[in-house]
mmCIF file of all heavy atoms in Angstrom:
data_model
loop_
_atom_site.group_PDB
_atom_site.id
_atom_site.type_symbol
_atom_site.label_atom_id
_atom_site.label_comp_id
_atom_site.label_asym_id
_atom_site.label_seq_id
_atom_site.Cartn_x
_atom_site.Cartn_y
_atom_site.Cartn_z
ATOM 1 N N ALA A 496 -1.489 -11.279 -2.117
ATOM 2 C CA ALA A 496 -1.166 -12.449 -1.300
ATOM 3 C C ALA A 496 -1.750 -13.721 -1.914
ATOM 4 O O ALA A 496 -1.135 -14.792 -1.858
ATOM 5 C CB ALA A 496 -1.686 -12.257 0.118
ATOM 6 N N LEU A 497 -2.928 -13.600 -2.507
ATOM 7 C CA LEU A 497 -3.550 -14.769 -3.139
ATOM 8 C C LEU A 497 -2.837 -15.157 -4.425
ATOM 9 O O LEU A 497 -2.632 -16.341 -4.712
ATOM 10 C CB LEU A 497 -5.027 -14.478 -3.422
ATOM 11 C CG LEU A 497 -5.931 -14.313 -2.194
ATOM 12 C CD1 LEU A 497 -7.328 -13.879 -2.623
ATOM 13 C CD2 LEU A 497 -5.995 -15.619 -1.401
ATOM 14 N N LEU A 498 -2.461 -14.135 -5.217
ATOM 15 C CA LEU A 498 -1.795 -14.391 -6.489
ATOM 16 C C LEU A 498 -0.987 -13.147 -6.853
ATOM 17 O O LEU A 498 -1.575 -12.072 -7.034
ATOM 18 C CB LEU A 498 -2.828 -14.691 -7.584
ATOM 19 C CG LEU A 498 -2.376 -15.537 -8.771
ATOM 20 C CD1 LEU A 498 -1.814 -16.882 -8.322
ATOM 21 C CD2 LEU A 498 -3.528 -15.758 -9.729
ATOM 22 N N PRO A 499 0.336 -13.241 -6.917
ATOM 23 C CA PRO A 499 1.153 -12.060 -7.217
ATOM 24 C C PRO A 499 0.694 -11.343 -8.481
ATOM 25 O O PRO A 499 0.373 -11.970 -9.486
ATOM 26 C CB PRO A 499 2.564 -12.655 -7.389
ATOM 27 C CG PRO A 499 2.550 -13.894 -6.561
ATOM 28 C CD PRO A 499 1.153 -14.447 -6.694
ATOM 29 N N GLU A 500 0.646 -10.017 -8.395
ATOM 30 C CA GLU A 500 0.237 -9.101 -9.467
ATOM 31 C C GLU A 500 -1.259 -9.115 -9.738
ATOM 32 O O GLU A 500 -1.727 -8.458 -10.676
ATOM 33 C CB GLU A 500 0.989 -9.368 -10.784
ATOM 34 C CG GLU A 500 2.493 -9.500 -10.633
ATOM 35 C CD GLU A 500 3.139 -8.352 -9.895
ATOM 36 O OE1 GLU A 500 2.625 -7.230 -9.967
ATOM 37 O OE2 GLU A 500 4.160 -8.575 -9.221
ATOM 38 N N ALA A 501 -2.059 -9.842 -8.937
ATOM 39 C CA ALA A 501 -3.518 -9.771 -9.078
ATOM 40 C C ALA A 501 -4.050 -8.456 -8.528
ATOM 41 O O ALA A 501 -5.201 -8.087 -8.786
ATOM 42 C CB ALA A 501 -4.181 -10.948 -8.360
ATOM 43 N N GLY A 502 -3.218 -7.756 -7.764
ATOM 44 C CA GLY A 502 -3.654 -6.498 -7.171
ATOM 45 C C GLY A 502 -3.986 -5.429 -8.190
ATOM 46 O O GLY A 502 -4.794 -4.537 -7.918
ATOM 47 N N LEU A 503 -3.382 -5.495 -9.379
ATOM 48 C CA LEU A 503 -3.671 -4.494 -10.415
ATOM 49 C C LEU A 503 -5.141 -4.542 -10.811
ATOM 50 O O LEU A 503 -5.831 -3.517 -10.863
ATOM 51 C CB LEU A 503 -2.786 -4.747 -11.636
ATOM 52 C CG LEU A 503 -1.276 -4.641 -11.409
ATOM 53 C CD1 LEU A 503 -0.524 -5.112 -12.652
ATOM 54 C CD2 LEU A 503 -0.900 -3.216 -11.067
ATOM 55 N N MET A 504 -5.632 -5.745 -11.089
ATOM 56 C CA MET A 504 -7.039 -5.892 -11.447
ATOM 57 C C MET A 504 -7.936 -5.578 -10.259
ATOM 58 O O MET A 504 -9.028 -5.015 -10.420
ATOM 59 C CB MET A 504 -7.300 -7.321 -11.934
ATOM 60 C CG MET A 504 -8.697 -7.524 -12.526
ATOM 61 S SD MET A 504 -8.902 -6.573 -14.050
ATOM 62 C CE MET A 504 -10.655 -6.234 -14.028
ATOM 63 N N ALA A 505 -7.486 -5.905 -9.056
ATOM 64 C CA ALA A 505 -8.282 -5.637 -7.856
ATOM 65 C C ALA A 505 -8.510 -4.146 -7.674
ATOM 66 O O ALA A 505 -9.619 -3.709 -7.320
ATOM 67 C CB ALA A 505 -7.591 -6.223 -6.628
ATOM 68 N N ALA A 506 -7.482 -3.334 -7.905
ATOM 69 C CA ALA A 506 -7.614 -1.889 -7.735
ATOM 70 C C ALA A 506 -8.621 -1.301 -8.715
ATOM 71 O O ALA A 506 -9.446 -0.452 -8.350
ATOM 72 C CB ALA A 506 -6.245 -1.227 -7.905
ATOM 73 N N VAL A 507 -8.579 -1.757 -9.975
ATOM 74 C CA VAL A 507 -9.524 -1.258 -10.980
ATOM 75 C C VAL A 507 -10.945 -1.706 -10.655
ATOM 76 O O VAL A 507 -11.890 -0.912 -10.694
ATOM 77 C CB VAL A 507 -9.106 -1.727 -12.386
ATOM 78 C CG1 VAL A 507 -10.181 -1.374 -13.414
ATOM 79 C CG2 VAL A 507 -7.783 -1.095 -12.778
ATOM 80 N N ALA A 508 -11.124 -2.992 -10.340
ATOM 81 C CA ALA A 508 -12.460 -3.517 -10.025
ATOM 82 C C ALA A 508 -13.038 -2.815 -8.798
ATOM 83 O O ALA A 508 -14.231 -2.496 -8.760
ATOM 84 C CB ALA A 508 -12.384 -5.025 -9.782
ATOM 85 N N MET A 509 -12.210 -2.541 -7.808
ATOM 86 C CA MET A 509 -12.679 -1.859 -6.612
ATOM 87 C C MET A 509 -13.168 -0.448 -6.938
ATOM 88 O O MET A 509 -14.220 -0.008 -6.458
ATOM 89 C CB MET A 509 -11.550 -1.800 -5.579
ATOM 90 C CG MET A 509 -11.972 -1.241 -4.226
ATOM 91 S SD MET A 509 -10.606 -1.281 -3.046
ATOM 92 C CE MET A 509 -11.444 -0.657 -1.582
ATOM 93 N N GLY A 510 -12.432 0.263 -7.767
ATOM 94 C CA GLY A 510 -12.845 1.615 -8.147
ATOM 95 C C GLY A 510 -14.149 1.632 -8.921
ATOM 96 O O GLY A 510 -15.013 2.478 -8.686
ATOM 97 N N LEU A 511 -14.328 0.686 -9.845
ATOM 98 C CA LEU A 511 -15.554 0.637 -10.641
ATOM 99 C C LEU A 511 -16.772 0.297 -9.785
ATOM 100 O O LEU A 511 -17.836 0.911 -9.921
ATOM 101 C CB LEU A 511 -15.409 -0.394 -11.764
ATOM 102 C CG LEU A 511 -14.389 -0.055 -12.863
ATOM 103 C CD1 LEU A 511 -14.234 -1.221 -13.824
ATOM 104 C CD2 LEU A 511 -14.808 1.203 -13.613
ATOM 105 N N VAL A 512 -16.629 -0.678 -8.883
ATOM 106 C CA VAL A 512 -17.751 -1.066 -8.018
ATOM 107 C C VAL A 512 -18.081 0.046 -7.028
ATOM 108 O O VAL A 512 -19.249 0.358 -6.780
ATOM 109 C CB VAL A 512 -17.424 -2.377 -7.269
ATOM 110 C CG1 VAL A 512 -18.480 -2.679 -6.208
ATOM 111 C CG2 VAL A 512 -17.338 -3.529 -8.261
ATOM 112 N N PHE A 513 -17.068 0.668 -6.467
ATOM 113 C CA PHE A 513 -17.285 1.759 -5.511
ATOM 114 C C PHE A 513 -18.008 2.924 -6.178
ATOM 115 O O PHE A 513 -18.923 3.508 -5.610
ATOM 116 C CB PHE A 513 -15.943 2.214 -4.946
ATOM 117 C CG PHE A 513 -16.066 3.221 -3.832
ATOM 118 C CD1 PHE A 513 -16.272 2.806 -2.527
ATOM 119 C CD2 PHE A 513 -15.971 4.576 -4.079
ATOM 120 C CE1 PHE A 513 -16.390 3.722 -1.492
ATOM 121 C CE2 PHE A 513 -16.085 5.511 -3.067
ATOM 122 C CZ PHE A 513 -16.295 5.075 -1.762
ATOM 123 N N GLN A 514 -17.598 3.248 -7.411
ATOM 124 C CA GLN A 514 -18.236 4.349 -8.129
ATOM 125 C C GLN A 514 -19.702 4.036 -8.428
ATOM 126 O O GLN A 514 -20.575 4.892 -8.303
ATOM 127 C CB GLN A 514 -17.503 4.623 -9.437
ATOM 128 C CG GLN A 514 -18.135 5.722 -10.257
ATOM 129 C CD GLN A 514 -17.670 5.730 -11.697
ATOM 130 O OE1 GLN A 514 -18.337 6.281 -12.553
ATOM 131 N NE2 GLN A 514 -16.537 5.118 -11.998
ATOM 132 N N ARG A 515 -19.976 2.803 -8.795
ATOM 133 C CA ARG A 515 -21.333 2.403 -9.159
ATOM 134 C C ARG A 515 -22.289 2.504 -7.974
ATOM 135 O O ARG A 515 -23.499 2.676 -8.151
ATOM 136 C CB ARG A 515 -21.315 0.967 -9.689
ATOM 137 C CG ARG A 515 -22.640 0.480 -10.242
ATOM 138 C CD ARG A 515 -22.536 -0.943 -10.741
ATOM 139 N NE ARG A 515 -23.793 -1.433 -11.233
ATOM 140 C CZ ARG A 515 -24.251 -1.254 -12.462
ATOM 141 N NH1 ARG A 515 -23.527 -0.583 -13.322
ATOM 142 N NH2 ARG A 515 -25.417 -1.742 -12.834
ATOM 143 N N SER A 516 -21.751 2.451 -6.759
ATOM 144 C CA SER A 516 -22.586 2.458 -5.557
ATOM 145 C C SER A 516 -23.095 3.844 -5.197
ATOM 146 O O SER A 516 -23.907 3.985 -4.276
ATOM 147 C CB SER A 516 -21.789 1.886 -4.375
ATOM 148 O OG SER A 516 -21.344 0.579 -4.660
ATOM 149 N N GLU A 517 -22.598 4.894 -5.885
ATOM 150 C CA GLU A 517 -23.050 6.267 -5.650
ATOM 151 C C GLU A 517 -22.939 6.641 -4.169
ATOM 152 O O GLU A 517 -23.902 6.973 -3.500
ATOM 153 C CB GLU A 517 -24.487 6.464 -6.145
ATOM 154 C CG GLU A 517 -24.629 6.257 -7.645
ATOM 155 C CD GLU A 517 -26.048 6.495 -8.125
ATOM 156 O OE1 GLU A 517 -26.925 6.714 -7.270
ATOM 157 O OE2 GLU A 517 -26.274 6.475 -9.336
ATOM 158 N N VAL A 518 -21.731 6.588 -3.685
ATOM 159 C CA VAL A 518 -21.458 6.895 -2.286
ATOM 160 C C VAL A 518 -21.505 8.400 -2.072
ATOM 161 O O VAL A 518 -20.982 9.161 -2.893
ATOM 162 C CB VAL A 518 -20.067 6.345 -1.889
ATOM 163 C CG1 VAL A 518 -19.704 6.756 -0.480
ATOM 164 C CG2 VAL A 518 -20.059 4.835 -2.020
ATOM 165 N N PRO A 519 -22.118 8.878 -0.971
ATOM 166 C CA PRO A 519 -22.107 10.309 -0.670
ATOM 167 C C PRO A 519 -20.674 10.826 -0.520
ATOM 168 O O PRO A 519 -19.791 10.106 -0.047
ATOM 169 C CB PRO A 519 -22.872 10.391 0.667
ATOM 170 C CG PRO A 519 -23.695 9.151 0.725
ATOM 171 C CD PRO A 519 -22.909 8.102 0.001
ATOM 172 N N GLU A 520 -20.458 12.080 -0.929
ATOM 173 C CA GLU A 520 -19.144 12.715 -0.826
ATOM 174 C C GLU A 520 -18.078 12.003 -1.663
ATOM 175 O O GLU A 520 -16.881 12.113 -1.382
ATOM 176 C CB GLU A 520 -18.683 12.789 0.645
ATOM 177 C CG GLU A 520 -19.640 13.493 1.578
ATOM 178 C CD GLU A 520 -19.764 14.979 1.274
ATOM 179 O OE1 GLU A 520 -18.816 15.543 0.705
ATOM 180 O OE2 GLU A 520 -20.802 15.570 1.617
ATOM 181 N N GLU A 521 -18.516 11.295 -2.697
ATOM 182 C CA GLU A 521 -17.537 10.582 -3.528
ATOM 183 C C GLU A 521 -16.578 11.540 -4.212
ATOM 184 O O GLU A 521 -15.395 11.233 -4.398
ATOM 185 C CB GLU A 521 -18.270 9.744 -4.578
ATOM 186 C CG GLU A 521 -17.346 8.979 -5.522
ATOM 187 C CD GLU A 521 -18.079 8.399 -6.705
ATOM 188 O OE1 GLU A 521 -19.166 7.835 -6.524
ATOM 189 O OE2 GLU A 521 -17.553 8.518 -7.826
ATOM 190 N N ARG A 522 -17.078 12.716 -4.567
ATOM 191 C CA ARG A 522 -16.220 13.655 -5.289
ATOM 192 C C ARG A 522 -15.043 14.129 -4.437
ATOM 193 O O ARG A 522 -13.934 14.301 -4.929
ATOM 194 C CB ARG A 522 -17.055 14.845 -5.773
ATOM 195 C CG ARG A 522 -16.215 15.801 -6.578
ATOM 196 C CD ARG A 522 -17.005 16.549 -7.613
ATOM 197 N NE ARG A 522 -16.078 17.127 -8.570
ATOM 198 C CZ ARG A 522 -15.667 16.532 -9.666
ATOM 199 N NH1 ARG A 522 -16.126 15.353 -9.963
ATOM 200 N NH2 ARG A 522 -14.801 17.113 -10.459
ATOM 201 N N ARG A 523 -15.278 14.337 -3.139
ATOM 202 C CA ARG A 523 -14.175 14.725 -2.259
ATOM 203 C C ARG A 523 -13.116 13.624 -2.207
ATOM 204 O O ARG A 523 -11.919 13.894 -2.214
ATOM 205 C CB ARG A 523 -14.702 15.024 -0.856
ATOM 206 C CG ARG A 523 -15.605 16.241 -0.784
ATOM 207 C CD ARG A 523 -16.057 16.505 0.646
ATOM 208 N NE ARG A 523 -17.012 17.591 0.696
ATOM 209 C CZ ARG A 523 -16.670 18.873 0.746
ATOM 210 N NH1 ARG A 523 -15.392 19.206 0.757
ATOM 211 N NH2 ARG A 523 -17.592 19.819 0.797
ATOM 212 N N LEU A 524 -13.576 12.402 -2.164
ATOM 213 C CA LEU A 524 -12.653 11.272 -2.160
ATOM 214 C C LEU A 524 -11.864 11.241 -3.469
ATOM 215 O O LEU A 524 -10.653 10.992 -3.477
ATOM 216 C CB LEU A 524 -13.427 9.970 -1.972
ATOM 217 C CG LEU A 524 -12.624 8.670 -2.092
ATOM 218 C CD1 LEU A 524 -11.548 8.615 -1.025
ATOM 219 C CD2 LEU A 524 -13.551 7.463 -1.973
ATOM 220 N N ARG A 525 -12.543 11.524 -4.562
ATOM 221 C CA ARG A 525 -11.879 11.511 -5.862
ATOM 222 C C ARG A 525 -10.781 12.565 -5.926
ATOM 223 O O ARG A 525 -9.685 12.317 -6.437
ATOM 224 C CB ARG A 525 -12.915 11.744 -6.965
ATOM 225 C CG ARG A 525 -12.427 11.430 -8.361
ATOM 226 C CD ARG A 525 -13.518 11.662 -9.370
ATOM 227 N NE ARG A 525 -14.697 10.881 -9.073
ATOM 228 C CZ ARG A 525 -15.888 11.092 -9.627
ATOM 229 N NH1 ARG A 525 -16.042 12.092 -10.478
ATOM 230 N NH2 ARG A 525 -16.916 10.330 -9.329
ATOM 231 N N HIS A 526 -11.058 13.746 -5.375
ATOM 232 C CA HIS A 526 -10.041 14.800 -5.367
ATOM 233 C C HIS A 526 -8.826 14.389 -4.544
ATOM 234 O O HIS A 526 -7.681 14.650 -4.920
ATOM 235 C CB HIS A 526 -10.622 16.094 -4.798
ATOM 236 C CG HIS A 526 -11.534 16.797 -5.741
ATOM 237 N ND1 HIS A 526 -11.265 16.906 -7.087
ATOM 238 C CD2 HIS A 526 -12.703 17.452 -5.548
ATOM 239 C CE1 HIS A 526 -12.234 17.581 -7.675
ATOM 240 N NE2 HIS A 526 -13.114 17.912 -6.765
ATOM 241 N N PHE A 527 -9.083 13.748 -3.413
ATOM 242 C CA PHE A 527 -7.984 13.287 -2.566
ATOM 243 C C PHE A 527 -7.131 12.275 -3.309
ATOM 244 O O PHE A 527 -5.895 12.329 -3.286
ATOM 245 C CB PHE A 527 -8.559 12.680 -1.282
ATOM 246 C CG PHE A 527 -7.528 12.084 -0.356
ATOM 247 C CD1 PHE A 527 -6.577 12.882 0.247
ATOM 248 C CD2 PHE A 527 -7.525 10.716 -0.101
ATOM 249 C CE1 PHE A 527 -5.626 12.331 1.094
ATOM 250 C CE2 PHE A 527 -6.584 10.154 0.744
ATOM 251 C CZ PHE A 527 -5.627 10.966 1.351
ATOM 252 N N LYS A 528 -7.786 11.341 -3.994
ATOM 253 C CA LYS A 528 -7.052 10.329 -4.750
ATOM 254 C C LYS A 528 -6.309 10.952 -5.934
ATOM 255 O O LYS A 528 -5.220 10.507 -6.307
ATOM 256 C CB LYS A 528 -8.013 9.252 -5.248
ATOM 257 C CG LYS A 528 -8.552 8.359 -4.131
ATOM 258 C CD LYS A 528 -7.449 7.527 -3.524
ATOM 259 C CE LYS A 528 -7.977 6.531 -2.509
ATOM 260 N NZ LYS A 528 -8.418 7.172 -1.286
ATOM 261 N N GLU A 529 -6.869 11.995 -6.549
ATOM 262 C CA GLU A 529 -6.174 12.670 -7.635
ATOM 263 C C GLU A 529 -4.868 13.286 -7.146
ATOM 264 O O GLU A 529 -3.829 13.219 -7.821
ATOM 265 C CB GLU A 529 -7.069 13.760 -8.243
ATOM 266 C CG GLU A 529 -8.188 13.227 -9.122
ATOM 267 C CD GLU A 529 -9.105 14.330 -9.610
ATOM 268 O OE1 GLU A 529 -8.881 15.498 -9.214
ATOM 269 O OE2 GLU A 529 -10.038 14.033 -10.371
ATOM 270 N N GLN A 530 -4.914 13.884 -5.947
ATOM 271 C CA GLN A 530 -3.706 14.482 -5.389
ATOM 272 C C GLN A 530 -2.664 13.420 -5.071
ATOM 273 O O GLN A 530 -1.468 13.607 -5.343
ATOM 274 C CB GLN A 530 -4.060 15.284 -4.132
ATOM 275 C CG GLN A 530 -4.894 16.526 -4.423
ATOM 276 C CD GLN A 530 -5.333 17.232 -3.168
ATOM 277 O OE1 GLN A 530 -5.396 16.646 -2.096
ATOM 278 N NE2 GLN A 530 -5.641 18.516 -3.290
ATOM 279 N N LEU A 531 -3.113 12.308 -4.505
ATOM 280 C CA LEU A 531 -2.182 11.215 -4.230
ATOM 281 C C LEU A 531 -1.599 10.651 -5.524
ATOM 282 O O LEU A 531 -0.419 10.271 -5.571
ATOM 283 C CB LEU A 531 -2.894 10.097 -3.466
ATOM 284 C CG LEU A 531 -3.236 10.362 -2.002
ATOM 285 C CD1 LEU A 531 -3.947 9.160 -1.404
ATOM 286 C CD2 LEU A 531 -1.992 10.693 -1.194
ATOM 287 N N THR A 532 -2.413 10.603 -6.576
ATOM 288 C CA THR A 532 -1.939 10.105 -7.863
ATOM 289 C C THR A 532 -0.839 10.997 -8.420
ATOM 290 O O THR A 532 0.193 10.509 -8.908
ATOM 291 C CB THR A 532 -3.111 10.020 -8.860
ATOM 292 O OG1 THR A 532 -4.028 9.021 -8.411
ATOM 293 C CG2 THR A 532 -2.622 9.665 -10.253
ATOM 294 N N VAL A 533 -1.045 12.312 -8.355
ATOM 295 C CA VAL A 533 -0.021 13.250 -8.833
ATOM 296 C C VAL A 533 1.270 13.076 -8.043
ATOM 297 O O VAL A 533 2.376 13.034 -8.605
ATOM 298 C CB VAL A 533 -0.526 14.702 -8.726
ATOM 299 C CG1 VAL A 533 0.602 15.687 -9.022
ATOM 300 C CG2 VAL A 533 -1.679 14.932 -9.686
ATOM 301 N N LEU A 534 1.144 12.962 -6.713
ATOM 302 C CA LEU A 534 2.322 12.753 -5.882
ATOM 303 C C LEU A 534 3.008 11.431 -6.227
ATOM 304 O O LEU A 534 4.243 11.368 -6.364
ATOM 305 C CB LEU A 534 1.927 12.773 -4.403
ATOM 306 C CG LEU A 534 3.051 12.494 -3.392
ATOM 307 C CD1 LEU A 534 4.129 13.568 -3.489
ATOM 308 C CD2 LEU A 534 2.491 12.409 -1.977
ATOM 309 N N GLY A 535 2.209 10.366 -6.369
ATOM 310 C CA GLY A 535 2.780 9.054 -6.684
ATOM 311 C C GLY A 535 3.506 9.043 -8.010
ATOM 312 O O GLY A 535 4.624 8.517 -8.123
ATOM 313 N N ILE A 536 2.893 9.620 -9.038
ATOM 314 C CA ILE A 536 3.520 9.672 -10.362
ATOM 315 C C ILE A 536 4.821 10.456 -10.303
ATOM 316 O O ILE A 536 5.851 10.048 -10.857
ATOM 317 C CB ILE A 536 2.557 10.305 -11.381
ATOM 318 C CG1 ILE A 536 1.369 9.381 -11.630
ATOM 319 C CG2 ILE A 536 3.272 10.598 -12.692
ATOM 320 C CD1 ILE A 536 0.273 10.039 -12.403
ATOM 321 N N SER A 537 4.782 11.599 -9.608
ATOM 322 C CA SER A 537 5.957 12.465 -9.536
ATOM 323 C C SER A 537 7.139 11.753 -8.885
ATOM 324 O O SER A 537 8.258 11.763 -9.407
ATOM 325 C CB SER A 537 5.615 13.740 -8.740
ATOM 326 O OG SER A 537 4.511 14.414 -9.305
#
Side-chain angles (χ1 to χ4, degrees):
L497 293 174
L498 206 56
E500 312 308 330
L503 298 172
M504 188 66 210
V507 172
M509 186 177 183
L511 293 174
V512 171
F513 187 85
Q514 178 196 159
R515 186 180 178 86
S516 302
E517 297 182 354
V518 175
E520 304 293 335
E521 179 192 316
R522 183 151 197 90
R523 294 182 185 275
L524 174 62
R525 194 179 303 166
H526 285 319
F527 176 65
K528 289 294 186 288
E529 285 176 357
Q530 292 175 338
L531 287 179
T532 294
V533 172
L534 177 62
I536 292 169
S537 304

